[in-house]
Amino acid sequence: MATDISRIKAALLTQHIETPSWAYGNSGTRFKVFARPGVPRTPQEKIADAAQVHRYTGIAPSVALHIPWDRVDDYGALAAYAAGHGLRIGAINANVFQDDDYMLGSVANPDPAVRRKALDHLLECVDIMDATGSRDLKLWFADGTNYPGQDDVRARQDRLAEALTAVYERLGEDQRMLLEYKLFEPAFYTTDVPDWGTAYAHCLKLGPRAQVVVDTGHHAPGTNIEFIVALLLREGRLGGFDFNSRFYADDDLMVGAADPFQLFRIMHEVVRGGGLDPAAGVAFMLDQCHNVEPKIPGQIRSVLNVQQATVKALLVDADALRAAQESGDVLGANAVLMDAYDTDVRPLLADLRAEMGLDPDPMAAYAASGYAEKIETERVGGTQAGWGA
C-alpha cells in the first residue's frame, strides 16, 4: 500500500490545473452581474489573484487569457509579470461573439467582411501566443441560426472549415488549436459546432495539432461525458477540459458541485487512458462564473475538487477491475469503482500538501492570509473587470 500511495502522490505532482482570468472578474447571468469589492481591474490584477490560487494549492501554475478582455499593449511584458508571480500564461481564448457585427455569426457569417474581421482576430490571438509563449489557442464559436431557413447549414460548415484551416496553418510547430463545442445558446435552432463529433470531424481534417476541448457543462442532459473522454483519448484528440458544473444547462458552476461522482468517472477515464501523463498534453482548465461566491476561494475550491477526484481515480484497483470485467462480474466491477470513490482522500491530500511545504487546508490558509481584505482596501476606483448585465 505504501508503494501505491507513493505512486499516487508522484502522479498528483504532475497534474496542473489552469485557472481562467475571467473567473476573477465580475460575472453573472444574462439578468444581473453582482459586483464585489476587491475584484481586479486589470489583467495584471487578475494574474496576481491567480497567483494566490497557486500559492495555496501548488498545482495551478498557469492562467488563461481572454482577448479582448485581457488586451494589453505589451504581451511579452504581461508574460514577464506573470513569471514574476510564479505563473505562466496558458491558453489564449478568442472572442468572436460580443461585437454587434457577429449577430449572425463570426467565421460562419454570410457576410465576407464580417468573416474577415473574425479571422483577423483569431490570427491576432496566435500573435499573442507567440509573444506570451502560450501553447494553446482555444476557440469557441457562438455561431449558428435561430430559425429554419435562416442560412445554409452546409455553407456555414464550409465557411467554418475555411477559417479553421487558415488559423491552423498560422500556428507554430509547438502550438495547438483546441476546438470547443456547445449544444446550444446563443444559437437556438442550429449551432455550428454543437457537439464533440462536429469538433472532432473538423480537427481530423486539420491535422494532429487540432484537438477537442470537453466543457463539462456543454452537453444534453444524460450525456455520458466519460465515454466522450475515453473515445477522444483513444484517438489522441483530447486537447483538454473546461471544468465546471451544471444543474440545468450551461451553468458554469464550480466543478464537482453538481455531480462529484461524474467528475470522478471522468477522471477515471483520464487515468485509464493515460491522460494524466504530461506527455499526453491534456490541458486541465477551469471555465467558471463565480456569480455569488468570492472569486479566489471559488477557484481554490474548484482546483481542490479536481484534485480530489483525481486521487480517487488513481485509487481504483485496475487489476481487480479488469479481472471482474473479464469474468463478467458486473457487481464486482462496479464495487471496485465505488470502493475508490467512497474513500476519504482528504488525509492523503493534506499529507501531500505538507510534503510540498503548503498548508494542509488551502481554503483556511487563504482565508487567514488577509489577502481578501487587502485587495478590498487597495482596489478602489477604476473599472472592475467583468461584463455588464
Side-chain angles (χ1 to χ4, degrees):
M1 186 63 179
T3 302
D4 287 340
I5 295 300
S6 297
R7 173 185 59 83
I8 288 170
K9 287 182 176 180
L12 290 172
L13 290 174
T14 69
Q15 185 181 41
H16 293 158
I17 299 169
E18 184 166 297
T19 67
S21 67
W22 53 96
Y24 298 101
N26 288 322
S27 57
T29 68
R30 65 175 61 88
F31 303 108
K32 174 64 179 175
V33 170
F34 296 100
R36 298 186 66 93
V39 163
R41 299 159 296 179
T42 66
Q44 289 81 0
E45 290 181 348
K46 294 178 186 177
I47 288 171
D49 287 0
Q52 293 294 306
V53 178
H54 184 45
R55 176 181 180 183
Y56 293 103
T57 66
I59 61 168
S62 62
V63 58
L65 300 184
H66 204 294
I67 308 301
W69 298 343
D70 295 317
R71 181 165 279 151
V72 294
D73 293 331
D74 188 337
Y75 291 98
L78 188 66
Y81 181 86
H85 283 73
L87 299 179
R88 66 177 183 274
I89 302 299
I92 302 300
N93 292 254
N95 181 324
V96 285
F97 53 85
Q98 284 197 312
D99 289 4
D100 287 344
D101 286 341
Y102 299 141
M103 183 175 66
L104 299 180
S106 60
V107 296
N109 196 296
D111 185 340
V114 175
R115 296 201 300 272
R116 183 68 246 180
K117 173 183 174 178
L119 178 58
D120 286 345
H121 173 68
L122 302 185
L123 296 175
E124 175 198 12
C125 287
V126 182
D127 293 338
I128 294 170
M129 293 170 66
D130 293 340
T132 58
S134 301
R135 178 188 65 171
D136 296 332
L137 172 69
K138 189 143 69 71
L139 302 179
W140 172 73
F141 298 101
D143 293 37
T145 64
N146 277 7
Y147 297 99
Q150 177 181 324
D151 199 3
D152 187 315
V153 173
R154 178 165 175 165
R156 294 183 71 88
Q157 289 297 312
D158 292 339
R159 299 168 198 151
L160 171 64
E162 181 180 2
L164 292 176
T165 299
V167 177
Y168 188 83
E169 291 175 349
R170 168 65 183 82
L171 294 174
E173 291 185 3
D174 296 326
Q175 294 173 335
R176 307 187 304 173
M177 173 192 297
L178 304 183
L179 183 57
E180 191 175 352
Y181 56 91
K182 188 175 183 180
L183 179 65
F184 78 102
E185 192 191 37
F188 294 108
Y189 173 61
T190 63
T191 301
D192 290 326
V193 190
D195 51 42
W196 70 271
T198 305
Y200 178 53
H202 280 287
C203 288
L204 282 181
K205 290 275 189 179
L206 292 167
R209 288 178 293 115
Q211 300 191 328
V212 181
V213 170
V214 175
D215 185 306
T216 52
H218 285 187
H219 302 86
T223 298
N224 190 313
I225 300 175
E226 56 266 34
F227 170 82
I228 300 169
V229 170
L231 190 146
L232 290 174
L233 269 172
R234 181 176 182 270
E235 300 301 318
R237 292 288 178 156
L238 179 63
F241 289 95
D242 271 357
F243 279 127
N244 52 56
S245 281
R246 57 178 286 268
F247 286 104
Y248 295 103
D250 179 24
D251 304 333
D252 277 353
L253 299 171
M254 293 189 305
V255 60
D259 189 351
F261 186 49
Q262 180 192 64
L263 181 59
F264 161 75
R265 299 193 311 265
I266 290 171
M267 291 311 303
H268 168 64
E269 293 302 335
V270 169
V271 171
R272 166 68 181 84
L276 206 58
D277 186 338
V282 177
F284 299 96
M285 300 175 282
L286 305 181
D287 181 14
Q288 300 171 182
C289 292
H290 300 285
N291 302 343
V292 296
E293 66 270 37
K295 315 302 179 180
I296 297 173
Q299 292 289 84
I300 292 174
R301 173 55 63 196
S302 293
V303 170
L304 300 183
N305 287 349
V306 175
Q307 190 180 41
Q308 185 166 300
T310 304
V311 179
K312 294 186 176 188
L314 288 165
L315 282 171
V316 173
D317 188 332
D319 293 336
L321 181 60
R322 187 180 307 108
Q325 292 169 340
E326 291 176 354
S327 67
D329 184 357
V330 175
L331 294 179
N334 178 254
V336 172
L337 283 183
M338 294 310 300
D339 284 344
Y341 178 69
D342 289 336
T343 302
D344 184 357
V345 300
R346 290 173 297 179
L348 186 156
L349 284 170
D351 185 48
L352 175 65
R353 293 182 192 118
E355 292 175 7
M356 297 170 65
L358 302 173
D359 192 293
D361 187 342
M363 292 290 287
Y366 172 74
S369 71
Y371 185 82
E373 294 78 9
K374 175 177 177 289
I375 59 176
E376 288 180 11
T377 300
E378 293 179 350
R379 295 176 183 175
V380 177
T383 301
Q384 291 185 328
W387 61 88

